[in-house]
C-alpha cells in the first residue's frame, strides 16, 4: 500500500488522501475528492511513476479545480476507470471522462452516461473500460495479481467481463 499524497491541497477536497494498493502486476488507485494540485503532487512525489490498473476517478468525475486532468490521466495510464458518482452536479463530467478514453482498455459493450454542467447526455453504450456507479451499480473488481482482472457490475449485465492487463 502506498500513500501517493495526503493533505497536499489548500481546500478540503484538495487535502484528499490518494492511495494505491498493489498486488503482483495489479494496482488500484483511490483518489477521493482530489483536485488538480493533489493529482500533480501525487505524480511529482513518485516521479511520474503512478501507472495503475484501476483508477477511481477523482472527485466523482468533476473537472473543477483541475480534477481528472490530462497529466493525471496520462501519468496513471489506467486500464479501467470507475467514477463513483450519482446525478448530483452532473458527475462524471463528459470532458473529464474523455481524458481517459484514449488510454483505457477495450471492454464488453456496456451503458454509460456523463454530464455537461448539471445536465446529462443521452445514455449510450461504450466498449471502453470506463464505468460509473450511477449507471453500472456497485462495481466489483477482483484480481489474483496477474492478468486478466474480473469486473462485475450489479446494475448492468453488460459490464461483467475480464480485462487483460497491458
Amino acid at each position: 500500500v502506498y500513500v501517493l499524497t495526503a493533505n497536499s491541497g489548500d481546500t478540503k477536497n484538495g487535502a484528499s488522501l490518494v492511495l494505491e494498493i498493489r498486488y503482483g502486476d495489479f494496482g488500484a488507485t483511490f483518489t477521493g475528492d482530489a483536485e488538480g494540485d493533489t493529482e500533480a503532487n501525487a505524480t511529482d512525489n513518485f516521479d511520474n511513476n503512478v501507472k495503475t490498473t484501476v483508477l477511481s476517478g477523482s472527485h466523482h468525475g468533476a473537472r473543477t479545480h483541475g480534477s481528472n486532468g490530462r497529466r493525471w490521466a496520462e501519468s496513471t495510464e489506467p486500464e479501467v476507470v470507475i467514477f463513483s458518482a450519482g446525478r448530483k452536479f452532473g458527475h462524471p463530467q463528459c470532458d473529464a471522462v474523455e481524458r481517459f478514453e484514449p488510454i483505457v482498455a477495450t471492454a464488453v459493450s456496456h451503458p454509460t452516461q456523463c454530464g455537461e454542467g448539471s445536465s446529462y447526455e443521452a445514455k449510450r453504450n461504450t466498449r471502453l473500460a470506463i464505468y460509473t456507479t450511477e449507471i453500472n451499480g456497485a462495481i466489483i473488481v477482483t484480481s489474483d495479481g496477474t492478468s486478466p482482472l474480473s469486473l462485475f457490475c450489479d446494475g448492468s449485465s453488460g459490464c461483467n467481463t475480464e480485462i487483460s492487463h497491458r
Side-chain angles (χ1 to χ4, degrees), residues 31-34 57-62 68 83-86 88 90-93 132:
T31 58
D33 281 338
S58 299
H59 201 170
H60 311 284
N68 299 290
F83 293 101
S84 176
K88 191 172 184 181
H91 292 160
Q93 291 289 292
T132 181

Side-chain angles (χ1 to χ4, degrees), residues 7 21 26 34 68 75 77 93 153:
N7 297 318
I21 299 171
F26 176 83
N68 299 290
S75 297
E77 293 184 59
Q93 291 289 292
C153 302

Side-chain angles (χ1 to χ4, degrees), residues 64-85:
T64 53
H65 305 287
S67 293
N68 299 290
R70 187 164 312 284
R71 179 178 177 217
W72 180 245
E74 292 171 353
S75 297
T76 55
E77 293 184 59
E79 294 166 38
V80 176
V81 177
I82 299 171
F83 293 101
S84 176

Side-chain angles (χ1 to χ4, degrees), residues 70-148:
R70 187 164 312 284
R71 179 178 177 217
W72 180 245
E74 292 171 353
S75 297
T76 55
E77 293 184 59
E79 294 166 38
V80 176
V81 177
I82 299 171
F83 293 101
S84 176
R87 296 181 84 53
K88 191 172 184 181
F89 304 115
H91 292 160
Q93 291 289 292
C94 293
D95 55 352
V97 171
E98 289 165 1
R99 289 186 187 112
F100 294 99
E101 288 179 344
I103 299 166
V104 297
T106 301
V108 173
S109 182
H110 59 278
T112 189
Q113 192 170 23
C114 58
E116 294 287 347
S118 60
S119 63
Y120 282 90
E121 67 169 21
K123 191 186 295 185
R124 59 183 167 89
N125 284 328
T126 185
R127 292 204 44 160
L128 298 175
I130 299 175
Y131 304 89
T132 181
T133 55
E134 170 68 21
I135 301 298
N136 306 118
I139 302 161
I140 300 164
V141 177
T142 56
S143 174
D144 65 2
T146 62
S147 188

